[in-house]
């Protein structure tokens, strides 16, 4: 129906509507197109800003969620650091530190002095007496080797795993206090170094030394029980960042998810915007992985070998960030799956080929079931008439599963994706085997199914 305009009557009031003139109609169409363009541009601008903000915040959200889950959750924290107790590099660093502390408390010089006096009293030749002091080096080396053997047995025993786990369990709240600059406990900040107090481990070490024949070990002064766990340059700045991320950790991931969803909803082309979101998330997660690799190199270069050997420092860093790296890889895989799904629902030639192939395959499987006498009847007809609805439910169920899964891994994402594809294929086969005579339906590529 053509647009009309009211014509005034003889009394000045509106009369019956009249058709627009050609000039008025052209002006009306121009204004309508202009309004539609402005509205479309506004939607694209809003969606672009929302998506840009979501993508820029996504790496920060991943890091803040990792900090909140790893540091605040005691079981998760213990699970994170537990593998360090069995790491050879960490065991070696702990053994070296305890060995050096024990040997440092033994006055080897006094032993050689006593030996020299004993030789003098025994009227030993002066040359032998004078060379007694040269035994200090070999004696210290032999003592170090013997002590290291005992220490290694303690560090590689099951008791070390128990001590390590319990120390970290007690220290979980202290780690938060250290990183936020508050309080001290089993984990303490010493300068820019976070150290772990292993408690009763040194007492067990003294007992083992006495049992091994070092009777004097029982009177050795208290051995330093602190073992470096992590060194952070400019700890004050790290504490400031931790305070901020600790506040953001609870709501920032949700905010990013909401912003991304709003961006897709506000955009005129939802599928295209979903694909853009997936590509953007893929790029940001790649950048986060690169940042973790760069941070690892910077951290290893900043740790003095005297404080923590490079291999032990690498083990500590890799262990502490492994769940962060896993979360990043999970989102990377999820972005690939989401982008692939968005593309396959599009008008692209490749997408049409894939959909056509899937349709032919499920149709052939359904017809095979019919020939075998396995007909789905009304259920198959209902599934065939509600393909879009059932597909959306299955995909939504897969997305909800990932959303509710605690700490999903890349393998979990791949498993859920595979199950969604399998369920869709089964539904397609059931929809193609109702058992009634129907004219062939044309697939999107023009072939019959």
């Amino acid at each position: 129906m053509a647009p009309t305009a009211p014509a005034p009557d003889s009394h000045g009031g509106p009369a019956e509507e009249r058709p627009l003139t050609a000039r008025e109609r052209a002006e009306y169409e121009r204004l309508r197109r202009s309004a539609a363009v402005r509205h479309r541009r506004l939607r694209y601008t809003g969606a672009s800003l929302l998506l840009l903000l979501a993508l820029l915040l996504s790496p920060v959200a991943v890091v803040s969620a990792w900090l909140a889950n790893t540091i605040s959750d005691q079981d998760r924290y213990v699970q994170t650091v537990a593998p360090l107790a069995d790491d050879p590099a960490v065991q070696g660093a702990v053994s070296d530190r305890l060995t050096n502390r024990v040997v440092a408390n033994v006055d080897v010089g006094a032993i050689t002095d006593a030996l020299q006096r004993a030789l003098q009293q025994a009227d030993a030749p002066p040359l032998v007496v004078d060379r007694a002091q040269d035994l200090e080096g070999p004696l210290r080396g032999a003592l170090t080797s013997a002590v290291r053997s005992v220490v290694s047995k303690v560090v590689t025993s099951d008791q070390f795993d128990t001590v390590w786990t319990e120390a970290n369990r007690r220290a979980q709240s202290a780690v938060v206090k250290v990183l936020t600059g508050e309080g001290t406990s089993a984990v303490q900040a010493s300068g820019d170094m976070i150290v772990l107090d292993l408690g009763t481990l040194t007492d067990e070490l003294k007992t083992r030394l006495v049992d091994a024949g070092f009777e004097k070990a029982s009177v050795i002064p208290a051995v330093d029980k602190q073992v470096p766990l992590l060194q952070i340059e400019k700890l004050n700045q790290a504490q400031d960042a931790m305070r901020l991320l600790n506040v953001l950790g609870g709501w920032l991931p949700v905010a990013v998810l909401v912003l991304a969803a709003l961006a897709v909803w506000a955009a005129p082309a939802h599928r295209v915007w979903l694909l853009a979101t997936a590509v953007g998330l893929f790029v940001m997660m790649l950048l986060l992985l690169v940042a973790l690799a760069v941070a690892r190199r910077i951290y290893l270069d900043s740790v003095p070998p005297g404080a923590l050997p490079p291999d032990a420092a690498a083990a500590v860093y890799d262990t502490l960030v492994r769940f962060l790296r896993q979360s990043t890889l999970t989102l990377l895989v999820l972005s690939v799956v989401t982008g692939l799904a968005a593309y396959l629902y599009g008008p692209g030639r490749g997408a049409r080929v894939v959909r056509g192939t899937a349709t032919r395959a499920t149709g052939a499987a359904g017809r095979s079931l019919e020939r075998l006498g396995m007909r789905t009847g009304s259920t198959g007809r209902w599934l065939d008439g509600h393909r879009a609805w059932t597909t959306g439910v299955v995909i939504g169920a897969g997305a909800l599963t990932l959303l509710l899964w605690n700490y999903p891994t890349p393998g979990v994402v791949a498993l859920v994706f595979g199950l969604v594809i399998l369920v869709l294929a089964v539904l397609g086969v059931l929809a193609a085997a109702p058992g009634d005579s129907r004219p062939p339906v044309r697939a999107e590529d023009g072939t019959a199914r």
Side-chain angles (χ1 to χ4, degrees), residues 61-283:
V62 174
V63 174
S64 63
W66 167 75
L67 283 174
N69 292 332
T70 301
I71 303 301
S72 300
D73 189 323
Q74 185 181 80
D75 292 336
R76 184 72 165 175
Y77 173 77
V78 172
Q79 182 184 359
T80 300
V81 299
L84 290 175
D86 297 321
D87 188 275
V90 174
Q91 290 180 343
V94 174
S95 297
D96 290 343
R97 192 172 187 86
L98 293 179
T99 298
N100 293 336
R101 293 296 184 180
V102 170
V103 173
N105 283 288
V106 178
D107 191 352
V108 180
I111 297 176
T112 56
D113 290 341
L115 176 61
Q116 188 176 40
R117 289 193 298 271
L119 290 174
Q120 288 177 340
Q121 294 174 359
D123 296 327
L127 181 60
V128 174
V129 174
D130 295 338
R131 296 298 296 270
Q133 292 295 332
D134 296 339
L135 296 176
E136 182 175 348
L139 182 58
R140 185 178 298 276
L143 176 63
T144 301
S145 177
V147 172
R148 188 187 306 278
S149 176
V150 176
V151 171
S152 296
K153 292 179 181 179
V154 174
V155 172
T156 57
S157 66
D158 293 338
Q159 184 180 13
F160 182 68
D161 290 345
T162 302
V163 171
W164 181 272
T165 300
E166 290 303 317
N168 280 285
R169 188 173 294 279
R170 293 192 308 269
Q172 182 268 336
S173 60
V175 172
V176 178
K177 293 179 180 179
V178 168
L179 292 178
T180 55
E182 303 173 359
T184 59
S185 185
V187 172
Q188 305 172 19
S190 178
D192 58 359
M193 178 73 69
I194 295 178
V195 295
L196 181 66
D197 193 330
L198 294 182
T200 60
L201 185 66
T202 53
D203 297 332
E204 172 65 17
L205 176 59
K206 286 185 179 181
T207 302
R208 291 284 189 97
L209 287 173
V210 172
D211 294 342
F214 297 91
E215 291 83 1
K216 297 295 183 180
S218 59
V219 297
I220 293 177
V223 180
D224 187 1
K225 298 174 288 186
Q226 294 180 346
V227 176
L229 185 61
L230 187 66
Q231 179 164 6
I232 304 176
E233 288 189 339
K234 301 179 180 179
L235 183 59
N236 292 333
Q237 288 86 334
Q239 290 171 341
D240 294 337
M242 174 61 187
R243 294 187 191 101
L244 177 61
L245 291 176
N246 194 40
V247 173
L248 299 178
W251 59 266
L252 187 56
V254 177
V256 169
L257 183 61
V258 170
L259 287 172
L262 288 176
V264 175
W265 173 79
H270 302 314
R271 185 193 63 81
V272 174
W273 223 248
L274 180 62
L275 180 59
T277 302
V279 172
L281 182 62
F282 181 85
V283 172

